[in-house]
Amino acid sequence: MALLGHIGRLSVCLLAGLLSLPASADQSGKFDFYVLALSWSPTYCKQQGADANPHQCDVSKPFRFVVHGLWPQYERGFPESCPGAPKRIDRQIAVSMEDIMPSHNLVFHEWRKHGTCSGLTPEDYFDLTREAFDKITIPGAFRTLDKRGKAAPDTVEKAFRLANPGLKEDGLAVTCDRGELEEVRICLTRDLEFRACREVDRSGCRAGSLSVPPPGAR
């Protein structure tokens, strides 16, 4: 009887020890879908002012929507900074992405935090990022906007859904910062098809109305 009691206590101790072990690290290539984050560049340039990236903001033809990143996601949460992938990438990759990701530092950061979890080489990851960006049709209102506007987050979402058949209400989110349009985040399968993503959808901006700075606003 004493032996059985000892075994029982040992089992409890072993179980407690296992439960106290740290969670395993995120693994490259082990994720469920992607989020393509598109930043409204005029908001960044206006809010950062003199600290903004000069290539992105001090240009004769200002950027509009640019790629913040292509992020591997779990159904809940996301992996980041996965081990096993190279942390440094060739500068030429950043140069090749300048038209849609105008900050080299952003390119390097996105690779370290998100790209390392994709299971892809740096070259293939940024090729996929460009493919995802090219898949999205930017609504005409944002391609021609030349003065400050206002819009509800739901209106921005609807504009993207109308411009992109197959994109559903629960497959994207609009984010805001200081009352201004920040990003549109679109959920994509690993094959870059539109898909639902409840956690991302729920994280959207709750403001009734957003200010939309025009290109060139500082």
Side-chain angles (χ1 to χ4, degrees), residues 8-189:
R9 288 193 297 274
L10 181 61
S11 298
V12 170
C13 290
L14 286 173
L15 179 60
L18 288 172
L19 291 175
S20 68
L21 290 174
S24 59
D26 294 318
Q27 296 181 38
S28 182
K30 302 292 186 181
F31 63 96
D32 298 310
F33 65 100
Y34 286 111
V35 165
L36 175 67
L38 301 177
S39 294
W40 182 242
S41 184
T43 296
Y44 161 79
C45 294
K46 174 181 174 293
Q47 293 187 357
Q48 294 299 311
D51 294 329
N53 178 275
H55 175 69
Q56 181 169 346
C57 301
D58 295 335
V59 291
S60 58
K61 186 178 180 182
F63 288 94
R64 294 173 181 265
F65 274 109
V66 295
V67 173
H68 180 172
L70 183 67
W71 304 335
Q73 301 280 301
Y74 302 132
E75 295 298 342
R76 296 185 64 183
F78 57 90
E80 60 180 310
S81 304
C82 292
K87 300 302 181 186
R88 292 181 174 273
I89 62 174
D90 194 304
R91 180 178 177 276
Q92 192 56 42
I93 293 177
V95 173
S96 73
M97 297 295 288
E98 285 179 352
D99 58 322
I100 61 172
M101 295 183 76
S103 167
H104 287 194
N105 285 339
L106 175 63
V107 171
F108 300 143
H109 168 78
E110 289 299 301
W111 168 254
R112 288 192 301 270
K113 184 171 182 178
H114 300 288
T116 54
C117 296
S118 67
L120 302 172
T121 65
E123 292 79 6
D124 287 345
Y125 172 72
F126 286 103
D127 282 348
L128 190 69
T129 300
R130 181 176 293 279
E131 185 179 345
F133 178 78
D134 289 343
K135 176 185 177 67
I136 305 303
T137 299
I138 304 299
F142 292 98
R143 288 187 274 113
T144 58
L145 184 101
D146 59 3
K147 60 183 179 181
R148 180 174 292 275
K150 278 192 172 295
D154 287 348
T155 301
V156 177
E157 285 194 15
K158 183 176 181 180
F160 270 82
R161 294 200 310 272
L162 290 174
N164 294 274
L167 181 57
K168 303 298 184 183
E169 186 174 355
D170 59 357
L172 78 163
V174 171
T175 68
C176 52
D177 185 24
R178 294 175 244 175
E180 297 180 312
L181 173 63
E182 181 186 32
E183 291 190 343
V184 175
R185 298 176 179 175
I186 299 171
C187 299
L188 302 167
T189 68

